[in-house]
Amino acid sequence: MAALPVVLAAGLCGTIQAEYIDGFEQGYRFWANRGGGNTHVEIINGELHLGVPADGVATIGYLCSHAIPQSEPLVFSVDVVSMGSTTWRVGMWCEFDRGAEGAPSGGYGVFRMIDSLRIAKWWTDSSGQFGGIWLAEASMPALRAPETMRLRLMCQGDSLQMVGESVLRTNGKMLASVPFLDTPGVDPTLALAVNDNGAPFLHPPRNLACDTYGTAAGPGSAVIDNLVCSHPPLPPDLAIACTIDHQAKVTWDGSAVLLESSSPQGPWAPCIAEVGNVENRCTSRTSLLGAQRFFQVQPGRHFSVGSQSFIEWRTAKAVAGAPGGFLHLRPWLGHAVIHGTDLGEGDYLLRRDVTGVWWRDCVASVDIVAQDTTVEEGVALGIVLRAKPQAGFWLIEEEGLPEKHYVGRLTFKQPGNPLESALSITGPGGEVLQETPLPAVDLVSDYRLRFWAVGSHLRAELFDFADLANPVATCEASDERSPTGIEALCLTARPNGRTQIMFDNFCLWGVWTPAEW
């Protein structure tokens, strides 16, 4: 429950007025990542309650873009109201994109353990190899009263000074302080005889997150409140530079998504050009030939999921309790394959391991890879956008597609007419809003399915990989019953048949909006 006014003591720098990130008074404004069984995430009386099973984890996070200053620390803080006796840790950490092409991404964090306070650094190099170390720690007794945990970050030339702190929430009494100076060279840690890897992260972080873990001895639980920052976020910015080959190089803040229009009055839609991200700065190139184009940014994100990351997705039936088997999702030959036998007729959902991110204007695409097996009549693959759960989180392993949603779907062979495919859009309750028949797609080729939900305008497109500029079929509809919601993939199966679809590269560009329930 938020308490005003909010200030952060800053030592010699004086008192810094805090900027609320979340006081948990305005509903679910964060994304959540759940790992390990039945995880509980709920706001009760203005505080966030987290519960995880033994060895489980729950993480909540926010888009973040704060400059790390040279003259005073950037301070993040969160109130740890309580933590269960078998809770391994309650953490707060910020995550950084690569500082340069080929450099590692990673982050820094402060963690309230059962019997200590620790700070940590971790990184993922350009090959995807992960590493991490505890940098420093201080012994503490078990949490008996609410504490405020802080993470201070300040640039010192080409080094980063970080300090983890824990103080009593009631009076600010210092309980523990663990400092560390991360330098461009190899740093011996203060707590453990190991070395960290690489230069410090000095550019603005892209995510701020809190988490809690259970232990092997039992489940974990924690109550947190008042996540704040000492400085306001950087304003979204946008820069455009023309190149000699009639291209525009567009760069913008990584906590935003790029929108484009043919008119300064709109309508605006996500720009779906390929996006690169370095130092939490997004870069994209787009042609300047043809009609004039206008750009702006809105809070949001572009993300893409490749074949190896699909193993972190979960599958569930779109109708809770429906009969039939289950889908299996696995990497195969550099792609992802969904495979099911003895499935009940109907839809099955595939969802990534992040929930709670809601989109307004958005577009998503998925690549359908050439198949080496025959696809049964009636089998379809679709993109779900703006699925709106009735209350709480739509958990990734939870059965049931919310009543309000949109699906842009490709049916590979129409039931009873295998020489015809169909591109369709369905809306709330599964109502077919529009359908476009087309000659049966030849799955010896690769295709891309793309689905737009911008305002009330819905558009499904199918592309042959031989020409990704011009769709082979389109389907359009208009509906405004579900203006915001969550994304997913959807597979339509036939009864007693063998269903197998190979796919890759799920991408989404979207304007982020707080959850609405």
Side-chain angles (χ1 to χ4, degrees), residues 191-362:
L192 304 174
V194 293
N195 296 322
D196 79 2
N197 181 26
F201 302 109
L202 303 176
H203 51 278
R206 65 179 172 92
N207 283 321
L208 179 69
C210 294
D211 65 20
T212 189
Y213 274 74
T215 66
S221 63
V223 178
I224 64 173
D225 200 1
N226 297 327
L227 183 61
V228 299
C229 182
S230 59
H231 291 67
L234 294 171
D237 62 345
L238 177 64
I240 303 175
C242 298
T243 64
I244 59 174
D245 57 351
H246 302 290
Q247 294 273 313
K249 180 182 179 182
V250 188
T251 59
W252 67 97
D253 180 76
S255 62
V257 66
L258 183 68
L259 305 181
E260 66 174 345
S261 176
S262 59
S263 165
Q265 285 76 43
W268 297 91
C271 178
I272 58 172
E274 185 175 348
V275 177
N277 196 317
V278 175
E279 293 190 1
N280 203 26
R281 296 285 299 167
C282 292
T283 302
S284 185
R285 293 181 180 271
T286 184
S287 174
L288 292 176
L289 298 177
Q292 60 183 352
R293 303 171 74 183
F294 298 85
F295 299 93
Q296 65 162 280
V297 290
Q298 291 285 338
R301 185 59 60 88
H302 159 264
F303 71 86
S304 59
V305 179
S307 60
Q308 294 302 314
S309 297
F310 278 116
I311 62 175
E312 300 173 355
W313 286 40
R314 300 291 184 269
T315 62
K317 297 172 184 176
V319 177
F326 291 92
L327 288 174
H328 303 281
L329 180 61
R330 56 188 173 87
W332 178 256
L333 298 177
H335 306 290
V337 61
I338 41 179
H339 171 77
T341 55
D342 299 324
L343 297 176
E345 184 172 16
D347 292 339
Y348 292 77
L349 302 170
L350 298 88
R351 299 193 53 223
R352 64 192 183 113
D353 63 341
V354 175
T355 188
V357 179
W358 287 44
W359 310 102
R360 189 174 73 242
D361 296 333
C362 53

Side-chain angles (χ1 to χ4, degrees), residues 459-479:
R459 178 182 174 92
E461 301 169 328
L462 182 67
F463 298 85
D464 191 310
F465 252 68
D467 183 3
L468 291 175
N470 300 293
V472 297
T474 62
C475 183
E476 296 185 83
S478 181
D479 193 276

Side-chain angles (χ1 to χ4, degrees), residues 444-517:
V444 298
S445 301
D446 295 343
Y447 289 87
R448 175 168 294 169
L449 176 65
R450 182 180 294 152
F451 186 37
W452 302 75
V454 178
S456 61
H457 182 227
L458 309 170
R459 178 182 174 92
E461 301 169 328
L462 182 67
F463 298 85
D464 191 310
F465 252 68
D467 183 3
L468 291 175
N470 300 293
V472 297
T474 62
C475 183
E476 296 185 83
S478 181
D479 193 276
E480 53 187 18
R481 286 174 287 176
S482 190
T484 63
I486 303 169
E487 86 287 351
L489 286 175
C490 180
L491 177 75
T492 303
R494 298 291 293 167
N496 304 319
R498 179 175 181 269
T499 301
Q500 179 171 302
I501 299 295
M502 201 174 329
F503 63 98
D504 208 342
N505 300 325
F506 179 83
C507 298
L508 186 142
W509 300 257
V511 176
W512 178 84
T513 184
E516 299 176 0
W517 52 65

